[in-house]
Amino acid sequence: MGRRNITHVSDFILIGLTDSEEIRLVLCTLFLLIYLITVLGNVGMILVIHLDSQLNTPMYFLLSHLSFLDLSSSSVITPKTLDNLLTSNKYISYLNCFIQMNFFIFLAATECFLLCSMAYDRYVAICNPLHYLVVMSTRRCCPILFGSYLIDFMDSSVNVLCMSRLHFCDSNVIYHFFCDVPPVLALSCTDTCAIEIIISVFAGSTLLVSLIMVSASYVAILSTILKIASTSGKQRAFSTCASHLLAVTVFYGTTIFTYAKPSKSYSLGKDHVASVFYTIVIPMLNPLIYSLRNKEVKNALRRVMWKRKGPNN
């Protein structure tokens, strides 16, 4: 095997989604609209939860942090994607590439454990409702939330240490529209076997542990719902977790579809549709899922708007 010159890469080239100017304009318009809806939806959700006293419950406390993570995750990926589509500026600096990558990993991993915490919240609410306010008190929610951020910060730190050991020789062209781990690994002339194993172990453990805990919560929830005698009681119980179950299905479904495959396949650019849905569309969907399917959020929004208008109006 011939030797390759190891050079210091100052920037990367993001191939993006398409070379067609017409399609780029359409995608830019679509992504800009999605991003605006994402910002308005998630900021609106956070404000409504904090402004309405009736939503000061553990469930909505966790939901406000989910909105924060969705807003942050979208802001890490979408602005640079819009810049690439609008100006054809495909360059991203080495530092910015790795900052984008590690923020994205941190936010996605934190969302895994936050969805897990929300599933446990629904489990307590349905399976042990009399002790809900004790088990899911603010004093207990805060440590759970802090633990999620801390664990995933450690996860992303491991990724930083691993990726910092890479060298790039033959190419700096990333066959993707953002700096994701698999396509960047594919560019390295360093032996990445050990790094891939370490990253896969940490990322796989995060996904698997959170998925097992979510699944266990919903198995217990389903078992409790089936024991309820009345149909209306079953419907009420199911409605309390329907929005979260839909959000979990969409998030884990696209995550597993995107990353449960050999890393080299990402360099071929065949997973763009799934990646667009995972990084750009899902952050917009979560506030819509929780607002359109949730009467409490709708009523809270009306109360907030009523207060803003004032009693004279």
Side-chain angles (χ1 to χ4, degrees), residues 284-308:
M284 175 194 69
L285 290 180
N286 281 339
L288 295 179
I289 290 171
Y290 281 99
S291 61
L292 295 178
R293 294 185 55 85
N294 195 312
K295 291 182 179 180
E296 290 183 349
V297 173
K298 292 179 183 178
N299 292 334
L301 181 59
R302 294 191 187 101
R303 288 193 295 270
V304 171
M305 296 299 294
W306 180 258
K307 290 178 182 178
R308 296 290 294 177

Side-chain angles (χ1 to χ4, degrees), residues 107-271:
L107 294 167
T110 306
E111 186 158 341
C112 283
F113 281 107
L114 185 60
L115 289 172
C116 179
S117 301
M118 294 174 73
Y120 179 72
D121 172 82
R122 294 299 83 203
Y123 159 75
V124 177
I126 294 174
C127 301
N128 198 6
L130 297 179
H131 296 89
Y132 176 74
L133 294 178
V134 176
V135 176
M136 293 302 296
S137 63
T138 304
R139 289 184 178 181
R140 295 197 178 185
C141 283
C142 288
I144 290 173
L145 195 62
F146 177 76
S148 299
Y149 281 103
L150 180 61
I151 292 171
D152 297 316
F153 175 76
M154 294 170 61
D155 195 2
S156 63
S157 297
V158 169
N159 185 77
V160 170
L161 293 174
C162 289
M163 300 300 286
S164 65
R165 300 174 63 87
L166 297 177
H167 297 285
F168 302 93
C169 325
D170 296 336
S171 175
N172 65 339
V173 178
I174 298 175
Y175 290 87
H176 216 342
F177 63 92
F178 74 100
C179 292
D180 201 4
V181 172
V184 173
L185 280 174
L187 296 181
S188 177
C189 55
T190 310
D191 184 7
T192 61
C193 289
I195 292 176
E196 286 186 38
I197 290 172
I198 294 171
I199 291 176
S200 297
V201 167
F202 276 85
S205 299
T206 298
L207 186 63
L208 187 61
V209 169
S210 61
L211 186 57
I212 288 173
M213 294 181 71
V214 168
S215 301
S217 296
Y218 274 104
V219 167
I221 288 171
L222 181 60
S223 176
T224 301
I225 291 177
L226 292 177
K227 293 177 182 177
I228 299 175
S230 66
T231 304
S232 60
K234 290 180 179 179
Q235 291 176 345
R236 283 197 301 272
F238 182 76
S239 66
T240 63
C241 59
S243 297
H244 179 259
L245 183 58
L246 180 58
V248 164
T249 302
V250 172
F251 179 82
Y252 282 101
T254 52
T255 303
I256 293 170
F257 177 81
T258 303
Y259 293 106
K261 58 185 66 179
S263 62
K264 296 297 181 183
S265 66
Y266 287 86
S267 63
L268 302 176
K270 295 179 179 179
D271 303 279

